[in-house]
Amino acid sequence: DAKTTQPTSMDCAEGRAANLPCNHSTISGNEYVYWYRQIHSQGPQYIIHGLKNNETNEMASLIITEDRKSSTLILPHATLRDTAVYYCIVRVRSGGSNYKLTFGKGTLLTVNP
Amino acid sequence: GAVVSQHPSRVICKSGTSVKIECRSLDFQATTMFWYRQFPKQSLMLMATSNEGSKATYEQGVEKDKFLINHASLTLSTLTVTSAHPEDSSFYICSARDLLISGTGHGNTIYFGEGSWLTVV
């Protein structure tokens, strides 16, 4: 019940922008889209999240389509250290004011020199 | 971002013994913490949601008597694997929800610890 679909893997050249797509066609109006990444043998690292507007921070940009059924994470200048599994997650309400993050399989991004 | 710390990072225990893993939010208070398990080459699987001062909520298929969770304060949650077996060997990861409103104005951000490798021999 991850509610998201991502490509299994992607490659990107070092220094170029990495655009990681995510489909979440069943997203509800008040559900946020979160992006995390996991470098091998480490805990997931928070990247960015958004509801309906595009968001940008020091790590990445998040572009959410107007119908909110898909989004794209953009790493503007990928480096070798950005090689990781990237997870697109729809935050699901788990009861009351509680939320939980359910991980899918993510996209393995490999940045090549 | 906020820091979540786990201890120990690696532990080896004998079959039949119990092992405790600690999860601390270092610079924020977290009424809710989450425990995940990850097997090699697989995604993270949510085990339970831990709420400060109350019983944890376990996901379907997770044995609450085997995986004891205690969330005694706003900065500490513990996971105890009881009567450990080799098949419990895994990467255990905790996360904590920062109550402060994020820059987007609405969402609460969930931060993850570094993970704890458990090997049961």
Side-chain angles (χ1 to χ4, degrees):
Chain A
D1 62 343
K3 301 183 66 171
T4 63
T5 304
Q6 298 177 254
T8 302
S9 63
M10 292 182 64
D11 285 320
C12 175
E14 187 178 18
R16 305 296 294 268
N19 298 290
L20 292 91
C22 179
N23 288 324
H24 31 78
S25 58
T26 60
I27 193 170
S28 299
N30 60 351
E31 291 179 329
Y32 284 76
V33 178
Y34 279 74
W35 282 84
Y36 286 81
R37 71 181 182 184
Q38 186 178 29
I39 296 170
H40 183 61
S41 298
Q42 297 181 23
Q45 178 188 20
Y46 167 78
I47 302 174
I48 199 167
H49 73 279
L51 182 62
K52 60 177 73 172
N53 298 321
N54 297 338
E55 302 289 343
T56 296
N57 62 21
E58 64 278 5
M59 289 184 67
S61 295
L62 175 61
I63 309 298
I64 303 175
T65 58
E66 193 169 339
D67 62 7
R68 302 211 323 121
K69 293 186 177 183
S70 66
S71 61
T72 300
L73 178 73
I74 301 173
L75 306 179
H77 305 287
T79 70
L80 299 179
R81 288 178 296 180
D82 292 323
T83 293
V85 178
Y86 286 76
Y87 295 98
C88 168
I89 303 166
V90 172
R91 191 185 71 177
V92 176
R93 188 185 292 270
S94 61
S97 61
N98 290 323
Y99 298 90
K100 61 182 180 181
L101 300 180
T102 302
F103 285 75
K105 297 182 187 234
T107 296
L108 173 60
L109 173 69
T110 302
V111 180
N112 300 305
Chain B
V3 178
V4 176
S5 178
Q6 283 184 239
H7 178 79
S9 57
R10 291 182 180 272
V11 59
I12 301 173
C13 72
K14 293 183 177 180
S15 291
T17 63
S18 296
V19 60
K20 180 186 289 186
I21 301 171
E22 293 185 346
C23 177
R24 294 180 185 274
S25 56
L26 296 186
D27 51 0
F28 67 98
Q29 294 183 327
T31 58
T32 306
M33 290 184 172
F34 306 86
W35 287 96
Y36 292 80
R37 180 168 57 180
Q38 185 176 32
F39 292 108
K41 297 187 178 181
Q42 295 187 24
S43 187
L44 285 78
M45 184 193 78
L46 180 64
M47 300 175 65
T49 301
S50 164
N51 292 297
E52 186 264 341
S54 63
K55 292 183 178 180
T57 302
Y58 290 81
E59 296 297 305
Q60 191 172 10
V62 178
E63 301 175 58
K64 58 183 178 182
D65 293 331
K66 179 169 180 63
F67 298 100
L68 302 179
I69 292 173
N70 183 273
H71 192 162
S73 77
L74 288 174
T75 59
L76 174 64
S77 176
T78 60
L79 168 69
T80 301
V81 183
T82 64
S83 187
H85 290 284
E87 55 265 32
D88 297 326
S89 298
S90 185
F91 190 46
Y92 291 85
I93 309 165
C94 74
S95 63
R97 184 163 72 121
D98 186 351
L99 291 178
L100 293 179
I101 300 298
S102 71
T104 63
H106 294 281
N108 303 145
T109 302
I110 297 175
Y111 296 98
F112 285 79
E114 319 95 318
S116 299
W117 285 99
L118 170 63
T119 303
V120 184
V121 298

